[in-house]
Amino acid sequence: LWAVVSPYLQINAGPVALVAASVFFAYGGKVKHLNAALGFMMGLASGVLAVYMILNLPFSPDLNLFLTLAVVAGGSVILALSVCSSFTDLSSWLGGLAITVLVMVMAMQGGMPPQVGAWGNIIFSLAANMLAGVYVIGWLMMQLVGAIGKALNK
């Protein structure tokens, strides 16, 4: 369903929704969908910050990457397990972070400008796909499977 609809909504990077759904389903659907969605959005924000830091820190590329991972990824783990633990999910946060960095770096290699002002469309597409993974592929499909199961058991 999402793979058919998303291109008509000008949303690219559709496979991101499948990755997001896989994190949701890895828990057997037992993680709260809102916590998973918020985790992905926190990961998206962290990923954008990471890409910005990698591109703009004044050190060597290797040191920029190391510092970024130490600060952003390490900070994400600390926040997700402490201050944000009641309303977010660490796995979806780290998944969102990794997906964002990967897709944005690949988009830049494909010609997307490295300036923040050029990132709006890809950030929107990533957010839409992550949320679709949780709600359209994940939660909605679990509801459908549950309804089919009840119907067959009658």
Side-chain angles (χ1 to χ4, degrees):
L1 177 66
W2 182 249
V4 173
V5 172
S6 62
Y8 292 103
L9 300 173
Q10 301 302 310
I11 297 173
N12 300 316
V16 168
L18 292 175
V19 176
S22 71
V23 172
F24 181 80
F25 283 125
Y27 292 104
K30 290 180 174 56
V31 68
K32 294 179 182 174
H33 51 85
L34 182 59
N35 290 29
L38 289 172
F40 279 114
M41 294 304 97
M42 297 296 279
L44 174 62
S46 299
V48 170
L49 175 62
V51 170
Y52 180 83
M53 287 176 66
I54 290 167
L55 292 173
N56 290 292
L57 286 176
F59 310 110
S60 71
D62 289 339
L63 186 55
N64 286 0
L65 180 61
F66 173 78
L67 291 172
T68 298
L69 292 177
V71 171
V72 177
S76 294
V77 170
I78 291 167
L79 286 172
L81 294 177
S82 60
V83 178
C84 303
S85 65
S86 65
F87 62 87
T88 190
D89 172 67
L90 175 60
S91 297
S92 57
W93 190 326
L94 292 178
L97 168 61
I99 291 166
T100 300
V101 171
L102 175 66
V103 170
M104 289 186 70
V105 167
M106 290 177 68
M108 282 183 232
Q109 289 173 342
M112 182 178 82
Q115 293 79 22
V116 174
W119 298 354
N121 288 341
I122 195 76
I123 292 170
F124 173 76
S125 288
L126 286 167
N129 279 301
M130 289 176 192
L131 293 174
V134 172
Y135 288 106
V136 176
I137 299 171
W139 183 81
L140 187 61
M141 287 297 116
M142 291 198 70
Q143 300 306 309
L144 180 62
V145 168
I148 291 170
K150 285 180 185 178
L152 292 175
N153 289 326
K154 287 187 178 182

